[in-house]
Amino acid sequence: MTAELVRGQNHALPQTRLEIRVSADSPVMAGATLGDERGTVRGAEWIAHPASPRVPGLEVSGQAAADHRLAVDLDALPDAVHRVTVLLALPMGAGLPDSFGAVAAPFVAVTGLDGAGIATFTLTGLDTESAVSALELYRRQDVWKVRAVGQGYAGGLTEMLADQGVAEAAELAASIQEAVVSGLARSMTPPPRAPEGERVRHPAGPTAPGGSGRPPASAQGTGPLGDPGPPRAGAFGNPVDYTHPRRRTSAPPPPPPAAPPTASGQPARPVAGDAAGWSMDERLYNQIWGMFEDLARAVAAYRSAAGFAESRMDQELDRVLSDPRSRIGGAGDRAREAARARRDELTGRAREALERDLTQLAAELAVVEPALPAAYAGWDNPVWHGYRVPLETPMALRIGDLRLPEGDGLRIPLLMRLPLERGIWVDSGRTASEAAAATAGDELRRSAMETAVALAVRLLAVHPAGEFSVHVIDPAGSAAGPLSPLAGSGALAGPPAAGAAGVSSVLAHLTRRVDLVQMAVRAGASDALPPDLDTGEQLLIVNDFPHGFDDRAVTQLRYLADEGPPVGVHLLMVADREDARAYGPVLDPLWRSLLRITPVADDHLADPWVGHAWTYEPLRVPEGSRVLGQVLTLVAAARRAGYR
């Protein structure tokens, strides 16, 4: 029976190999410290955190996430360790909560490796604290116990580490936060969680281990964690509100009742739109994110079980080898074979469970893909053959697909909410992926620009006529070929800007727009905006950065990246970070503010639940297809008609 602990209460641990599971409503950093008999942490080597996630007997996640699984092997800890303290801290950054009082109480569970509950603790009563010692595992008279602590620190990670005797706590805390911020830049933002009790069911049949239900996309605005962004002002005295019109402030209606299993006991056939939402688009959006979460958790459960099986075999083999009588001869061989057989049995059972989950997800994806609207569909979907310029902006946009090595080729659509909450960086550099290594440098740069153009076409296609404009900076004119579909269609706001003068002109124009809209919003004077100001969404494609940019232009670009999204100005950069290395750390905030994607398959994106490294694949236009040209022709015609 699982013990529900309150602050200060302890409970005996029945085993030494454990998982500590952390659940929170927003991303948190989870770490742990090792302490001696007096609770003192003897050095940085006794601390597990995202920048150094492994210490003997302990492993934590390498990034901030809403859910964590910490692996603990008490028998593998150094002999001098008598205490393991689990720490939680909020990441620092714009738009992120700055205290635990601003978020729902985190929940911590101690379980066996088989998932059997041992103890749980809900960290209530926190207010201004941004870091907390959640619980501790401690050894007394050779017996390990768990104690609920819940000690918060308003001074954050620095104060918490200093309290445990860590030397140079401020420097260590800063390095940990730097690693956390870098990890968040790789992580996709999930839909905001629904109010308590408004959980969305899974389809009938087996569910992904560890799943907590599919969170519907609530109508809480479009900030990085679902918080409402600032209002935007427009001409003619009416506010231009870039929050999505269908994101309500109340909970969406639940999905239709689940179909019962068939007479043979098999799960019912999946249904497209089987999720909560105000519209079919929102239901599909939530369903896809639910499949994303299900696959993440199913693979996490499999990896955990497989790791347990491997570790158990290693321990059994160590015991065999520690006995001189069994090192040689038939008894030792039989013991080793038995240990490997038990490992294979446990791994096989875990794989069978994963296969059931993958089969269910594949069946669900097979019915969802044909039902997707153009904004969510790949370029090969027949929905594009009947494309018409929409009358309203969709909930989200598909920008690629995601997969995991254990997923047997299952690809989950990657949907980004609209309006865009952060800019996008198409990395044209040589990455560590096999696909990038096998591609010539010039071809990689061309492919990166083609990826950006295809993404810009999708953005133009899913917005109503006149509500989305695209500007291009191509300082050396090196992207004339990939840009030709956009430039030749008449869908651009103007010709691609070249040379230093062109760069300066476009940046000045968009910077002025950001300044004017911000001032109008702050003053509540939307009717004071110039009548010629385009209040629609603006996208700036920048090729080959930082070529053609002086220091002033770089500063303006950083300003647009930081201040542009809340007022409808977005960046789509095509760049190789190595080309900008001369700027050093000055540009680090710029790269972190952008979602990095690649023109070839690359495993650099992380999910927000367990932090898997997912392989991202861009959407490809089918060979010989004219879909881009056909869509751009309709977009340009609608744009011209709107200006008459």
Side-chain angles (χ1 to χ4, degrees):
M1 182 175 178
T2 304
E4 297 183 7
L5 305 181
V6 296
R7 190 174 275 106
Q9 187 178 1
N10 60 40
H11 182 74
L13 293 172
Q15 58 201 79
T16 58
R17 288 188 57 78
L18 308 165
E19 264 195 355
I20 299 175
R21 303 181 180 186
V22 178
S23 298
D25 268 357
S26 62
V28 297
M29 184 279 291
T33 59
L34 308 181
D36 58 20
E37 287 182 327
R38 294 174 295 181
T40 301
V41 180
R42 295 186 177 179
E45 67 276 7
W46 275 22
I47 305 175
H49 53 80
S52 179
R54 295 181 184 87
V55 297
L58 185 65
E59 182 175 356
V60 304
S61 173
Q63 69 171 51
D67 297 275
H68 294 270
R69 294 189 181 194
L70 284 64
V72 181
D73 184 353
L74 298 174
D75 290 336
L77 295 172
D79 293 338
V81 172
H82 287 254
R83 184 181 303 175
V84 177
T85 304
V86 176
L87 315 173
L88 304 179
L90 293 172
M92 298 171 60
L96 299 175
D98 58 2
S99 70
F100 279 106
V103 298
F107 175 81
V108 184
V110 181
T111 74
L113 293 184
D114 58 357
I118 298 173
T120 64
F121 176 40
T122 302
L123 284 78
T124 57
L126 298 174
D127 187 11
T128 60
E129 300 90 344
S130 60
V132 59
S133 295
L135 53 79
E136 64 182 18
L137 314 177
Y138 65 98
R139 181 172 61 183
R140 184 160 298 166
Q141 297 177 346
D142 292 329
V143 175
W144 283 95
K145 295 184 179 182
V146 57
R147 176 187 292 123
V149 180
Q151 173 65 52
Y153 296 86
L157 197 55
T158 298
E159 182 183 358
M160 181 166 58
L161 293 174
D163 190 46
Q164 297 190 37
V166 177
E168 299 181 345
E171 291 78 1
L172 179 58
S175 68
I176 294 173
Q177 285 288 0
E178 176 69 21
V180 169
V181 170
S182 298
L184 284 176
R186 299 172 50 242
S187 180
M188 292 299 303
T189 304
R193 294 181 183 268
E196 191 66 28
E198 295 290 343
R199 312 301 288 175
V200 182
R201 64 172 175 81
H202 291 278
T207 58
S212 59
R214 298 186 178 171
S218 76
Q220 296 298 320
T222 61
L225 296 172
D227 300 323
R232 304 181 185 182
F236 315 114
N238 297 319
V240 176
D241 186 2
Y242 287 98
T243 56
H244 197 282
R246 292 201 299 275
R247 293 185 191 168
R248 314 295 178 84
T249 55
S250 59
T262 63
S264 62
Q266 295 298 315
R269 190 174 187 273
V271 177
D274 186 20
W278 290 101
S279 65
M280 188 60 175
D281 280 6
E282 190 171 357
R283 288 177 183 271
L284 287 167
Y285 171 78
N286 288 327
Q287 187 173 15
I288 289 170
W289 269 90
M291 290 189 288
F292 185 11
E293 181 177 1
D294 281 352
L295 182 55
R297 295 189 185 280
V299 170
Y302 168 74
R303 290 180 179 177
S304 177
F308 168 69
E310 196 73 29
S311 176
R312 175 175 170 174
M313 183 192 70
D314 291 342
Q315 289 182 343
E316 291 177 353
L317 292 177
D318 286 343
R319 285 196 293 270
V320 171
L321 294 174
S322 65
D323 185 353
R325 294 170 298 179
S326 61
R327 290 179 185 172
I328 58 175
D333 291 340
R334 287 191 295 273
R336 284 187 283 269
E337 287 299 321
R340 294 188 180 99
R342 282 189 288 271
R343 185 271 315 270
D344 293 342
E345 179 188 3
L346 289 173
T347 303
R349 281 159 46 190
R351 185 69 205 187
E352 288 176 5
L354 177 62
E355 291 292 346
R356 288 195 298 270
D357 292 325
L358 293 178
T359 299
Q360 177 186 336
L361 287 169
E364 189 172 4
L365 194 59
V367 299
V368 167
E369 278 281 9
L372 295 178
Y376 301 177
W379 288 115
D380 57 349
N381 193 306
V383 71
W384 286 103
H385 297 311
Y387 168 77
R388 293 292 181 270
V389 177
L391 298 178
E392 59 181 8
T393 304
M395 190 80 187
L397 182 77
R398 185 172 182 170
I399 65 168
D401 293 328
L402 296 171
R403 58 179 170 86
L404 288 172
E406 297 90 344
D408 289 340
L410 194 67
R411 286 169 168 79
I412 302 296
L414 175 55
L415 301 183
M416 282 189 74
R417 281 178 289 172
L418 295 177
L420 294 173
E421 297 160 358
R422 60 194 294 196
I424 297 175
W425 162 32
V426 184
D427 191 349
S428 61
R430 181 80 66 186
T431 65
S433 72
E434 292 182 5
T439 307
D442 290 344
E443 179 59 29
L444 201 59
R445 285 188 289 272
R446 180 181 180 87
S447 183
M449 196 63 206
E450 290 173 347
T451 299
V453 168
L455 185 53
V457 173
R458 292 180 74 85
L459 284 163
L460 281 166
V462 302
H463 283 83
E467 293 189 13
F468 195 90
S469 298
V470 177
H471 310 261
V472 176
I473 289 178
D474 184 21
S478 59
L483 283 170
S484 59
L486 276 174
S489 67
L492 291 177
V503 171
S504 176
S505 175
V506 172
L507 291 177
H509 169 73
L510 292 176
T511 301
R512 172 179 175 271
R513 183 197 179 282
V514 171
D515 290 340
L516 289 174
V517 175
Q518 282 185 337
M519 288 188 291
V521 168
R522 295 188 187 114
S526 58
D527 56 348
L529 286 170
D532 61 340
L533 185 75
D534 182 2
T535 56
E537 300 273 341
Q538 311 287 313
L539 178 72
L540 173 59
I541 301 176
V542 178
N543 180 48
D544 218 13
F545 176 81
H547 299 300
F549 281 72
D550 56 20
D551 289 346
R552 175 180 171 80
V554 169
T555 301
Q556 288 177 313
L557 192 70
R558 287 186 56 188
Y559 176 75
L560 293 178
D562 293 339
E563 304 294 333
V567 291
V569 176
H570 313 282
L571 287 185
L572 176 53
M573 288 183 54
V574 179
D576 179 357
R577 190 169 182 173
E578 276 299 301
D579 291 342
R581 64 184 179 275
Y583 287 92
V586 172
L587 289 181
D588 285 352
L590 172 64
W591 303 118
R592 284 199 297 262
S593 71
L594 305 173
L595 176 67
R596 175 177 171 259
I597 63 175
T598 50
V600 294
D602 189 90
D603 57 350
H604 65 281
L605 288 179
D607 67 80
W609 303 287
V610 292
H612 293 314
W614 293 72
T615 296
Y616 167 83
E617 294 182 342
L619 297 175
R620 300 293 185 194
V621 178
E623 189 72 28
S625 173
R626 294 183 292 177
V627 62
L628 285 189
Q630 293 168 351
V631 168
L632 282 172
T633 297
L634 294 172
V635 168
R639 179 182 177 87
R640 289 191 296 270
Y643 284 113
R644 289 173 184 169

